[in-house]
Amino acid sequence: MKILKWVWRLIWKVTMWFFIISIGLTVIYRFLPVPITPLMVIRFFEQTFDSEKEVRFRKDWVPFSEISKNAPQAVFAAEDQKFLDHHGFDIDAMEKAWENNKKGKRVKGASTITQQTVKNVFLWPSRTYLRKGLEAYFTVLVELIWPKERIMEVYLNVIEMGDGIYGIEAASQTFFNKPAAKLNRNQAALIAAVLPNPRRWSPAKPTGYITGRQSWILRQMNNLPPIGMGI
C-alpha cells in the first residue's frame, strides 16, 4: 500500500509540474522570443557527429512588424489557408487524411500553422501517440493564450527553412542577401514553396516542381485576404 501511495503521489506531482511548466512557458513565449527549439538542438548534434555535414546554425529573431507582409501571406497560402478561421485544428483536412490513410493512399499533411509552431517550439520530431497527444494539448493551449498574429510571428521565426537555417530572417539573408523586411512576393513564395522539405529543396536552386509550386502559391496569395498586423 505504501508503494502504491508513493507511486500515485509521484504521478500527481509530475502531472502538476507538467501543467505548471507547460502553461508557464506558453505564457512566457506569448511575449518573449523563443531562444531555441528541440529540433534546432537535434539538428545541431546531427551535424556535429556527421563528418559529411557542415555545422551551421543561422537564426535571427525579428518582430512581426519587421517582416515583409509577403512572407506571412505566402505561408498562409502555402501551408494553412484556414489559419484565420480555425482554432488550431483543420477538422476537414484531418478527416480527409484519415480516410486516405485507411485506403492506403498517400497522406497529405493536415497540420495547421498552429500545430507546426507547437511541434517546433515545444516538441520533438516523432509520430508516436504520446507526441501527437502533447501536440493536441499544446495546440489548444497556444490558441487560448496567443493571438493569431503571435502564432504567425513565432512560426516565421522558428520554422526550419534550410539545413541549419531557422526563421524567415536567416532564410532571407542566406538565399537573397536581404533582410526579411525587403522580401518581395516572388521570393516569399519561393521560400514558402520549400517548407514541406527544406533540407531537400532550396530557394537558391529551385527545381521545376518548386517553381511550379511557387506559381501556385502566388495565385493563392491573390485569392486570400491580406494577413498582417492586427490579425
Side-chain angles (χ1 to χ4, degrees), residues 41-51 53-55:
V41 175
I42 291 169
R43 294 285 191 249
F44 179 79
F45 278 100
E46 287 176 351
Q47 293 173 350
T48 301
F49 294 103
D50 190 335
S51 58
K53 288 186 176 180
E54 172 193 356
V55 177

Side-chain angles (χ1 to χ4, degrees), residues 16-175:
M16 287 302 297
W17 275 109
F18 168 74
F19 283 117
I20 291 170
I21 292 171
S22 62
I23 294 171
L25 275 177
T26 306
V27 172
I28 289 170
Y29 288 157
R30 161 68 178 86
F31 302 101
L32 298 179
V34 178
I36 199 165
T37 69
L39 180 63
M40 292 176 191
V41 175
I42 291 169
R43 294 285 191 249
F44 179 79
F45 278 100
E46 287 176 351
Q47 293 173 350
T48 301
F49 294 103
D50 190 335
S51 58
E52 297 181 0
K53 288 186 176 180
E54 172 193 356
V55 177
R56 181 166 61 173
F57 183 84
R58 297 177 184 172
K59 173 184 174 291
D60 295 292
W61 184 281
V62 286
F64 199 81
S65 58
E66 295 179 18
I67 299 174
S68 165
K69 64 180 181 180
N70 296 312
Q73 192 73 10
V75 298
F76 178 32
E79 297 293 296
D80 182 6
Q81 295 189 10
K82 296 181 180 178
F83 175 63
L84 299 180
D85 301 317
H86 64 61
H87 297 289
F89 304 95
D90 186 341
I91 304 302
D92 291 337
M94 290 171 67
E95 289 177 350
K96 288 178 183 177
W98 175 255
E99 290 299 322
N100 287 336
N101 188 44
K102 288 196 297 183
K103 295 175 183 177
K105 294 181 179 179
R106 182 176 177 272
V107 178
K108 183 180 179 182
S111 187
T112 64
I113 284 176
T114 307
Q115 288 173 288
Q116 292 180 52
T117 303
V118 160
K119 285 187 284 189
N120 276 270
V121 174
F122 300 105
L123 304 172
W124 62 95
S126 170
R127 292 183 178 274
T128 63
Y129 287 113
L130 173 62
R131 213 298 302 276
K132 285 292 184 184
L134 289 172
E135 179 185 316
Y137 165 74
F138 275 107
T139 296
V140 172
L141 205 58
V142 163
E143 284 278 345
L144 283 172
I145 297 174
W146 299 2
K148 290 290 188 179
E149 179 189 310
R150 180 58 177 176
I151 295 172
M152 180 63 79
E153 180 181 42
V154 173
Y155 175 86
L156 287 170
N157 273 287
V158 303
I159 198 75
E160 186 177 35
M161 294 188 173
D163 199 7
I165 300 167
Y166 305 95
I168 193 68
E169 179 68 18
S172 184
Q173 294 284 2
T174 300
F175 301 123

